[in-house]
Amino acid sequence: MTAVSLGLPEVPVRPIAERRVSRRIQVGPVAVGGGAPVSVQSMTTTRTSDIGATLQQIAELTASGCQIVRVACPTQDDADALATIARKSQIPVIADIHFQPKYVFAAIDAGCAAVRVNPGNIKQFDDKVKEIARAARDAGTPIRIGVNAGSLDRRLLQKYGRATPEALVESALWEASLFEEHGFRDIKISVKHNDPVVMVNAYRQLAAQCDYPLHLGVTEAGPAFQGTIKSAVAFGALLSEGIGDTIRVSLSAPPAEEVKVGIQILESLGLRQRRLEIVSCPSCGRAQVDVYKLADEVTAGLEA
């Protein structure tokens, strides 16, 4: 059968703004920063030690369009599972480390594509930076310095009184400087807050003070509707200014929903090629059909 052209012009995707200039890192096969496309991340909700369940969820995330996945590693059993998960996952796996620096080394040894550390939650983290930098450099493993409002270093809370944008940025740049002292710059940074206004201001300040790639996130954004609105507002503001290299929509919902929202945000901003899009009116007294029902049926049919 010969395809018949309908004569419809192709609409090129034009980013809403020039991307911020940043250095590039490699998270497995996924390039981050340096002009690479903005990638969508999510995080598994399974116990990482349950290898089968975790790999199943990663497969579901991969099918939904997720490009990088993060897994929690709070226990030794979780650390022991990382090597198998990293090897069998179809997308790069980032190990998420809180509290125990020894799991950073376990994740690097396991072959994870990157490691996320939260310095505010790791006691004596600064004392371990030299060893972590050496191990990560030898393995070619990037580090994400993930600063969260809820786990900000006590010294900075005392200095600023609360988790202000300035406090978040100072924490992130301080930790990055410790790695820089040891010649390690394979770094990505995030400064998350549950308030989109604080979060946006923090990332703006951070973007102006460093050239590291930035991971965007509104932490603890809430249930699906609330979290989607918060994330769309914050990501839209930053990405429209060219700020942001990876994103994660944090929802109290199944991880695949995070990915769907993230992809839709990128498509809406012209940062990703748009797929088939339903254009439907909000309805009014002129409508002679049930627009709501029809739109839902078409959406369900396309997703089937």
Side-chain angles (χ1 to χ4, degrees):
M1 180 180 292
T2 304
V4 177
S5 173
L6 298 178
L8 298 175
E10 291 187 7
V11 180
V13 176
R14 291 191 178 92
I16 198 167
E18 291 296 321
R19 297 280 301 284
R20 162 182 169 267
V21 177
S22 69
R23 65 177 66 227
R24 178 176 291 198
I25 65 173
Q26 284 292 140
V27 179
V30 179
V32 174
V38 179
S39 57
V40 177
Q41 297 189 19
S42 187
M43 187 172 184
T44 55
T45 57
T46 57
R47 290 186 179 275
T48 304
S49 57
D50 187 339
I51 295 175
T54 300
L55 286 172
Q56 176 61 36
Q57 193 167 78
I58 290 175
E60 293 168 0
L61 286 167
T62 303
S64 70
C66 186
Q67 294 163 283
I68 300 172
V69 66
R70 187 155 46 104
V71 299
C73 186
T75 71
Q76 186 62 52
D77 287 342
D78 298 319
D80 293 341
L82 289 175
T84 301
I85 292 169
R87 185 176 70 254
K88 293 188 175 183
S89 173
Q90 293 179 297
I91 56 177
V93 173
I94 297 177
D96 188 65
I97 310 299
H98 294 257
F99 310 115
Q100 291 284 354
K102 66 180 181 179
Y103 298 141
V104 176
F105 300 104
I108 292 171
D109 291 342
C112 290
V115 179
R116 182 267 177 139
V117 295
N118 184 342
N121 268 350
I122 300 178
K123 292 182 179 179
Q124 298 179 329
F125 176 80
D126 294 355
D127 298 336
K128 297 288 185 180
V129 168
K130 182 177 180 179
E131 297 173 53
I132 292 172
R134 182 189 302 117
R137 182 172 53 249
D138 291 347
T141 307
I143 298 289
R144 171 156 77 90
I145 297 172
V147 176
N148 269 16
S151 56
L152 196 62
D153 187 285
R154 188 177 303 171
R155 294 166 295 182
L156 291 170
L157 283 176
Q158 291 174 346
K159 177 179 178 179
Y160 290 97
R162 63 185 189 282
T164 63
E166 294 76 14
L168 295 170
V169 172
E170 183 173 329
S171 175
L173 293 179
W174 166 253
E175 299 300 339
S177 73
L178 297 180
F179 280 98
E180 291 166 356
E181 288 179 3
H182 303 292
F184 187 83
R185 292 179 173 80
D186 204 7
I187 295 169
K188 178 170 63 170
I189 298 178
S190 63
V191 282
K192 296 185 178 182
H193 198 287
N194 67 303
D195 184 329
V197 175
V198 176
M199 175 267 200
V200 167
N201 286 327
Y203 277 99
R204 283 173 174 161
Q205 292 181 30
L206 183 61
Q209 295 181 53
C210 74
D211 68 348
Y212 290 115
L214 304 181
H215 172 72
L216 304 185
V218 179
T219 189
E220 301 167 351
F225 179 77
Q226 173 183 300
T228 295
I229 298 299
K230 280 186 171 185
S231 298
V233 168
F235 293 179
L238 291 167
L239 291 168
S240 68
E241 297 172 11
I243 298 171
D245 301 288
T246 62
I247 63 171
R248 188 240 172 145
V249 178
S250 298
L251 302 177
S252 299
E257 293 301 309
E258 299 182 348
V259 176
K260 289 167 60 177
V261 173
I263 290 174
Q264 189 65 57
I265 290 172
L266 295 182
E267 289 181 359
S268 298
L269 292 168
L271 290 168
R272 179 173 291 208
Q273 185 68 47
R274 285 184 175 142
R275 299 166 296 177
L276 185 61
E277 187 175 69
I278 298 172
V279 178
S280 60
C281 74
S283 190
C284 66
R286 298 190 301 273
Q288 299 301 307
V289 297
D290 187 338
V291 175
Y292 308 145
K293 181 181 178 182
L294 181 59
D296 287 343
E297 289 176 347
V298 172
T299 299
L302 292 173
E303 290 180 347

